[in-house]
Amino acid sequence: MRTAITILLFLVLGVAGAMYLAQLGGTVEIKVGDAWIGTSFPIALLLLAAGFLVLHGILAAIAGIRRWPQRMRARRTAKRRAEGDAAVTRTLIALAAGTAEAARLEVRKARNYLGDTPQTLLLTAEAERLSGREEAASDAFRLLAQRDDSRFLGLRGLLRQAMQRGDWAAARALAKEAEAVQPGAAWLREERAQLALHTRDWREALALQAPDLPKPVLALAAAAQEPDPAKAAELERQAFQADKSFVPAAIAHANRLRAGGSSRRARGVLEEAWAASPHPDLAVPYLADEPDDLNRVKAAEGLIRRNQSAPESRLLLARSALAAGLTGRARTALEALVASGEADRRAFLLLAELEEAEHGESAEARAAQSRWLRQAAAARPEPRWRCGHCGTDHAAWAPVCNACDTVGQIGWTATPRVAVPVVTAA
């Protein structure tokens, strides 16, 4: 409504102006030599306006003719752009569908229409990788890496390829270069962590906090690689503080303290570890300084005092007491263990040994030994260091399973009981 009123006002003003000029009168004369032209003032204004319009039309036509090639080029560019975008879309669909040859065909069209842009080069690399042409994919990634606007994309692709073929030296160099281009990239951090695990660079893996691996495992493994004793000691301390139930870290930390003259602190570490997770390996360094058997019993009591009811505590006390000739003390500990229902094969073997120590080579001792040995054969096997990935047993803890090359899967676990099939006579 407002627009209509505005147009009406302009029409009114135009008509009023025209009527004013018609009433104004007057003539306009143009004399050139002997030629004379005369006309009224309103007609002269109309002729002037018409001349302006004609001149404007001529100039606009000339400008349009001059811009014609540019418009044609722009139209052709827009058409190629549209066709290139359509080819890119078809390439993405082919990649998602897993049709490698169709993806290669469409991306070739896209590069023909759009040229070697970061998008077409990346799609080319992915299409070549899908079709198994890794060298052609590497060429596309190198072209990406040579451009300032897509350098990180090219380095990322080359890094993935290097890691897949196990070229760790090249992978480390590419990771370092990618870190300089894109510092702090989350994806690159994960790749560097995986690279550190593959190359067994435990210090790097610890710094990057490799996924799915506890800090104590990485810290203890890094300590074994550290040439500086002070830094190695700090890493062992960190591993123990992070998880006091992690027995290898407790033993390494205690041994380092003992070597440095802090035997009392070393014993305290072993006692904390035993309270958190009793383990027979903890008793070895704890009792090493006690050559006398009776003193070893007292030392064992000191070690287990904060976790006396644990099966390992009762086994340690029974073994120490039996070695010192305290058969009654040993029997009390072993019978309590058997009554708890947590006894494994070791408890019954110790009971068989205890019968011989108490009764010698008597018939009573042999009968009791036979009973305990039968129970030992049927009892739960003793725990072992075992890989949780492949089930391989290990004599000691290690950060990597030498059977399946898996990192951080070796733990102290009980051997699964194997059911023996019963064969019946036909």
Side-chain angles (χ1 to χ4, degrees), residues 90-100 102-103 130:
R90 291 193 297 270
T91 303
L92 291 171
I93 294 173
L95 288 173
T99 53
L130 184 62

Side-chain angles (χ1 to χ4, degrees), residues 26 52 135 180 222 236 354:
F52 173 78
E135 189 58 37
E236 291 166 352
L354 177 62

Side-chain angles (χ1 to χ4, degrees), residues 58-73:
I58 293 172
L59 293 176
I62 293 173
I65 293 172
R66 294 180 62 185
R67 289 195 300 268
W68 179 259
Q70 182 180 355
R71 287 200 301 270
M72 292 300 295
R73 287 194 299 270

Side-chain angles (χ1 to χ4, degrees), residues 7 27 50 135 149 183 198 210 253 288 290-291 294 335 384 388 413 418:
I7 294 174
T27 59
E135 189 58 37
D149 57 350
H198 282 296
H253 185 38
E290 300 293 345
L294 289 176
E335 288 179 349
R384 295 179 182 275
T413 56
V418 179

Side-chain angles (χ1 to χ4, degrees), residues 132-146:
R133 297 176 172 87
E134 291 294 335
E135 189 58 37
S138 297
D139 293 339
F141 283 132
R142 291 190 190 97
L143 290 175
L144 279 170
Q146 291 171 3

